[in-house]
Amino acid sequence: MKTFPARDDALALLKKYNAEPFHLRHALTVEGVMRWYAQELGYGEDAEFWAAAGLLHDVDFERWPDQHCQKAPELLAEISASPELVHAVCSHGYGICSDVEPTEEMEKVLFAADELTGLIGAAAKMRPSRSVQDMEVKSLKKKFKDKKFAAGCSRDVIRTGAERLGWDLDTLMDRTIQAMRSCEAEINAVMEPLEA
């Protein structure tokens, strides 16, 4: 089993360097998505390690966007993060702002799902339900093909992520929607007071 920081310590570190509700919601979403994927893909014993990587993957982004994934190791050292966790966090920016390649399956999932959660979250806001609970892959693919929609979410990164995992785009989308369904209510409960 891989070592990971206590969630309270990880969350405190995240909040120390991130105050924007948008960034906090994204971190909590990717945490929940990674926990779901660990269970789904047979890594249940390491689910909290996967979740910690998701929670902390953008720890440096709000304050140091120009040093994203470069500053992270220094911040993660504050909670004595393991080398595996630091590698995972830095690898999600591979080819964009980091030369640390995602090699473990967990790192490939983080790379693929991170960007996609942003697209799914933006698409959910446009739905009457404002939720992923009733979202289908077909409607998400329409948003994916519309380059103007959530233009900040890189389609190339999402496609590359699916390829690295050996999955087609539909599989990645379907699984990530399911993963986001699993944690949506819990995250809404935490975030609604901050977003009001």
Side-chain angles (χ1 to χ4, degrees):
M1 273 182 59
K2 295 187 165 65
T3 58
F4 55 90
R7 186 175 186 273
D8 287 351
D9 294 342
L11 190 60
L13 184 73
L14 177 73
K15 288 180 171 176
K16 180 176 177 181
Y17 295 111
N18 292 268
E20 286 286 329
F22 176 84
H23 292 142
L24 295 173
R25 177 178 279 276
H26 177 64
L28 294 171
T29 299
V30 179
E31 175 191 36
V33 163
M34 291 300 290
R35 186 180 287 114
W36 182 91
Y37 265 114
Q39 300 289 354
E40 178 73 7
L41 299 175
Y43 297 90
E45 65 179 18
D46 285 327
E48 293 311 309
F49 175 77
W50 286 49
L55 184 67
L56 294 168
H57 77 286
D58 278 347
V59 68
D60 60 1
F61 185 72
E62 187 176 310
R63 289 217 201 159
W64 298 277
D66 296 339
Q67 295 178 61
H68 185 33
C69 296
Q70 312 299 321
K71 190 85 176 164
E74 179 188 326
L75 307 184
L76 293 168
E78 293 181 31
I79 54 168
S80 306
S82 66
E84 296 105 318
L85 185 59
V86 174
H87 190 279
V89 165
C90 294
S91 74
H92 89 277
Y94 182 65
I96 307 154
C97 56
S98 168
D99 57 6
V100 179
E101 189 170 358
T103 51
E104 300 288 326
E105 187 164 23
M106 181 270 275
E107 295 169 343
K108 293 175 185 178
V109 169
L110 180 60
F111 179 91
D114 169 35
E115 201 76 5
L116 184 53
T117 62
L119 185 70
I120 294 170
K125 282 184 184 166
M126 304 299 288
R127 301 180 69 75
S129 64
R130 297 184 62 78
S131 169
V132 293
Q133 299 302 326
D134 58 355
M135 185 181 290
E136 298 297 332
V137 170
K138 189 168 77 172
S139 65
L140 181 62
K141 282 187 91 167
K142 281 185 191 157
K143 299 292 189 193
F144 182 85
K145 287 173 183 165
D146 177 0
K147 302 271 192 309
K148 292 187 181 123
F149 179 77
C153 296
S154 169
R155 275 57 169 177
D156 288 343
V157 167
I158 295 168
R159 279 194 206 92
T160 302
E163 285 164 16
R164 283 183 165 273
L165 285 161
W167 301 350
D168 59 33
L169 204 51
D170 283 25
T171 300
L172 177 63
M173 287 180 171
D174 180 51
R175 284 179 157 174
T176 306
I177 289 169
Q178 289 182 57
M180 286 179 69
R181 283 178 187 156
S182 76
C183 56
E184 183 179 61
E186 191 182 336
I187 292 167
N188 284 343
V190 171
M191 290 306 302
E192 272 164 11
L194 301 175
E195 292 169 337

